[in-house]
Amino acid sequence: MFHLPMFTPEQVARVCENLEETGDIERLGRFLWSLQPTAAPGTTGEALLNRQESVMRARALVAFHGGNFEGLYQILQSHRFTRESHAKLQDLWLDAHYREAERLRGRPLGPVEKYRIRKKFPLPRTIWDGEQKTHCFKERTRSLLREWYLQDPYPNPSRKRHLAQATGLTPMQVGNWFKNRRQRDRAASAKNRLQQDPSHLPAEGSPQDHHRHPALRLASSSPSSSPPRPPVSPGTSDCSTEPRGTTPDISVSSDSEFDS
């Protein structure tokens, strides 16, 4: 059994960080339990440990994996965490609420049901910096993607990996974002050309008109309407099932939710 007098709060924090990195949650739980005699509620030892973010994050992880969701919520709401911990703790907050809802329903949740859970249980400001999200991607991420797109609409694999690291996305998400953005730009460009010079349009009902791309036919028949949205690559997003709102919409269950 470990005792706090044998460790400084900083040393306890480092042990928690190491065990968290290895993913050994069971050992992490035993280590935290061993500190109870000298870190009981209301003691000086507890106050010192509560100042260590690594310790509080470790307690949250142990509570989540132990199914103690009420304990998890209390930890996350009572301690203000730094931005570096936000992503992981947001995942714990949402996953815990998803699991509670699935337990009540007796079945997995669908995308719309998860959206409603996120609206019902918004992230506490202790683990959220208040930055609004735009349909899954943070505006900061979208701005960076747009800047790179203007420089190079066809990034090579090396640049995709670099941009993925800079945005926190995966290389596949980055690649799909660029692909869908190019599709939308091509559709918009085609519509603009047709509007500027309608003489290039085949007569309606002619064989050429029949074989035109549906997007071009729609653009010529409804000049004032918005260009149709090209099909999104398979597996790139399930965010379209959720209405947009002013509260942050954060998804944690998919590696490929995004919009451009």
Side-chain angles (χ1 to χ4, degrees), residues 163-254:
L163 188 53
Q165 293 177 351
T167 58
L169 305 176
T170 66
M172 178 178 291
Q173 284 178 303
V174 172
N176 284 331
W177 186 93
F178 274 82
K179 177 181 178 181
N180 292 325
R181 178 59 185 266
R182 291 194 299 266
Q183 289 177 335
R184 280 186 280 276
D185 283 357
R186 282 196 295 268
S189 178
K191 180 187 175 183
N192 289 336
R193 286 197 302 270
L194 292 174
Q195 289 178 332
Q196 293 172 3
D197 191 1
S199 63
H200 290 296
L201 289 173
E204 194 168 333
S206 66
Q208 293 90 340
D209 178 66
H210 177 74
H211 292 291
R212 274 190 300 158
H213 190 279
L216 300 183
R217 292 202 300 270
L218 180 59
S220 63
S221 60
S222 304
S224 61
S225 62
S226 300
R229 191 183 184 97
V232 178
S233 300
T236 59
S237 175
D238 65 3
C239 295
S240 59
T241 62
E242 304 178 359
R244 300 193 183 194
T246 56
T247 55
D249 179 13
I250 300 180
S251 177
V252 299
S253 61
S254 172

Side-chain angles (χ1 to χ4, degrees), residues 69-70 73 95-105:
F69 297 146
E70 288 301 322
Y73 303 146
D95 279 346
H97 284 294
Y98 293 158
R99 294 189 184 190
E100 285 188 316
E102 289 175 343
R103 188 183 302 164
L104 289 174
R105 291 169 171 77

Side-chain angles (χ1 to χ4, degrees), residues 115-173:
Y115 168 79
R116 290 171 178 165
I117 293 295
R118 294 195 291 271
K119 291 296 183 183
K120 185 177 181 181
F121 302 102
L123 297 171
R125 293 302 294 266
T126 51
I127 59 172
W128 174 52
D129 57 14
E131 181 177 9
Q132 294 293 332
K133 299 193 70 177
T134 306
H135 206 43
C136 297
F137 275 7
K138 285 188 175 183
E139 183 59 34
R140 182 175 54 199
T141 299
R142 289 162 55 88
S143 297
L144 187 57
L145 289 169
R146 284 193 292 263
E147 289 177 9
W148 278 62
Y149 180 82
L150 294 175
Q151 298 175 14
D152 182 11
Y154 295 89
N156 57 33
S158 176
R159 287 198 172 187
K160 288 180 185 177
R161 288 193 297 268
H162 179 77
L163 188 53
Q165 293 177 351
T167 58
L169 305 176
T170 66
M172 178 178 291
Q173 284 178 303

